[in-house]
Amino acid sequence: GAAGALFLSLLVLIDEGDEVLIPDPYFPLYVFLVRLCGGNPICIDTYKNGFKLVPEDILNCGSKRVKILIFNNPVNPTGVAYSEAEIKALAQALNKRGLFVVSDEVYNSFIYDFEHVPMIRYVRENIIHIGGFSKTLGIPGWRLGYAISDEETVSYMTTFQQFTYTCPNSVAQKACIKGLEDNNIIEKAIKDDFSFKRDMAYTILSEKFKVVRPQGAFYIYPQAPNNNTDEFISKALEQNVIIVPGKTFSQKNTHFRISYSIDNKKLEEGLKKLVSVV
């Protein structure tokens, strides 16, 4: 899967003591894999910018040991997505500082307000683009992802793969080929459905919560009342609603994550219960 591609990427790129920039909030695997590979994760606080990385973060964070940025677009857990202008500005900063970027874009089919622009369009060297089919085709258990990079980097990743994952299974590959052939039909249906869910989640939650309107993925990341996430989660559990605390994805614990990839009726019921708890 894409997680395997991410692991292979960091095995190849990180030397002992290298610093790796990671926008916070982040997918938890990033920090653990960096440490596993001998690197030092440098978490960048994006709360002040609506959960978005800005060029100044890339240019100013970390020490001379900074080597890599792990970039996620759209973002798990916040649901924010980057426009083409924002991608271009970030790419210019990456090129100026000479950093390698590992760009995790597994939610690329889930952008609702504008077209997805891959980072590799503007960073032609020093990049590993990671994608997958779990989200796009709805097959998370099949574990089929991919990585795109220069020939030398891919050859090193292939060597590591031979001694870890061996190879992806043939059944999943055949199915994904068919999925790619019908991709336009599938993608439109997904966007229409999840755009509706996104609007529902934002409309209901914004009545009582401070929340950034998601632009992609299928997550929303509201701020907990009085920034007391653990207390609020306990109250939500009493209403049989399960949410994930911000400390799972961040150095802070002021917010919580909701996935809205469920039946619309159940989604609406759960959201209204959260509002009632406040």
Side-chain angles (χ1 to χ4, degrees), residues 6-7 9-20 22 29-42 65-68 70 160:
L6 179 66
F7 181 43
S9 299
L10 297 179
L11 279 174
V12 167
L13 295 177
I14 293 177
D15 292 316
E16 190 74 30
D18 283 343
E19 293 180 354
V20 180
I22 302 174
L29 188 64
Y30 299 157
V31 168
F32 294 113
L33 284 183
V34 168
R35 289 175 178 155
L36 181 64
C37 295
N40 181 23
I42 305 296
R65 291 299 307 268
V66 171
K67 184 177 183 181
I68 302 160
I70 298 180
F160 275 117

Side-chain angles (χ1 to χ4, degrees), residues 209 225-226 228-243 270 273-278:
F209 295 91
N226 302 315
N228 194 333
T229 303
D230 291 336
E231 180 183 347
F232 183 74
I233 285 177
S234 296
K235 291 180 178 179
L237 281 172
E238 293 174 2
Q239 301 295 321
N240 294 319
V241 180
I242 298 175
I243 51 181
K273 284 184 177 181
L274 290 177
V275 170
S276 71
V277 168
V278 178

Side-chain angles (χ1 to χ4, degrees), residues 109-128:
S109 293
F110 296 85
I111 291 186
Y112 314 116
D113 303 324
F114 43 79
E115 291 299 315
H116 175 75
V117 175
M119 179 65 78
I120 202 169
R121 181 177 296 179
Y122 291 105
V123 180
R124 302 301 297 174
E125 300 177 354
N126 295 333
I127 186 168
I128 299 177

Side-chain angles (χ1 to χ4, degrees), residues 180-198:
L180 287 172
E181 291 172 352
D182 298 334
N183 191 52
N184 290 336
I185 299 172
I186 295 171
E187 189 167 326
K188 185 180 186 309
I190 287 173
K191 279 190 176 182
D192 290 345
D193 182 29
F194 278 83
S195 181
F196 178 84
K197 295 177 189 293
R198 182 273 308 266

Side-chain angles (χ1 to χ4, degrees), residues 105-202:
E105 305 185 30
V106 295
Y107 295 98
N108 64 331
S109 293
F110 296 85
I111 291 186
Y112 314 116
D113 303 324
F114 43 79
E115 291 299 315
H116 175 75
V117 175
M119 179 65 78
I120 202 169
R121 181 177 296 179
Y122 291 105
V123 180
R124 302 301 297 174
E125 300 177 354
N126 295 333
I127 186 168
I128 299 177
H129 171 100
I130 293 176
F133 302 99
S134 294
K135 278 72 178 177
T136 304
L137 299 180
I139 49 171
W142 293 23
R143 313 311 307 156
L144 193 64
Y146 59 88
I148 302 170
S149 190
D150 62 274
E151 186 175 355
E152 182 180 22
T153 301
V154 169
S155 69
Y156 289 135
M157 292 174 67
T158 302
T159 299
F160 275 117
Q161 184 186 25
Q162 290 171 348
F163 295 100
T164 51
Y165 298 95
T166 308
C167 65
N169 72 81
S170 59
V171 176
Q173 292 185 68
K174 292 284 189 181
C176 286
I177 289 171
K178 178 61 177 173
L180 287 172
E181 291 172 352
D182 298 334
N183 191 52
N184 290 336
I185 299 172
I186 295 171
E187 189 167 326
K188 185 180 186 309
I190 287 173
K191 279 190 176 182
D192 290 345
D193 182 29
F194 278 83
S195 181
F196 178 84
K197 295 177 189 293
R198 182 273 308 266
D199 290 342
M200 180 198 297
Y202 178 74

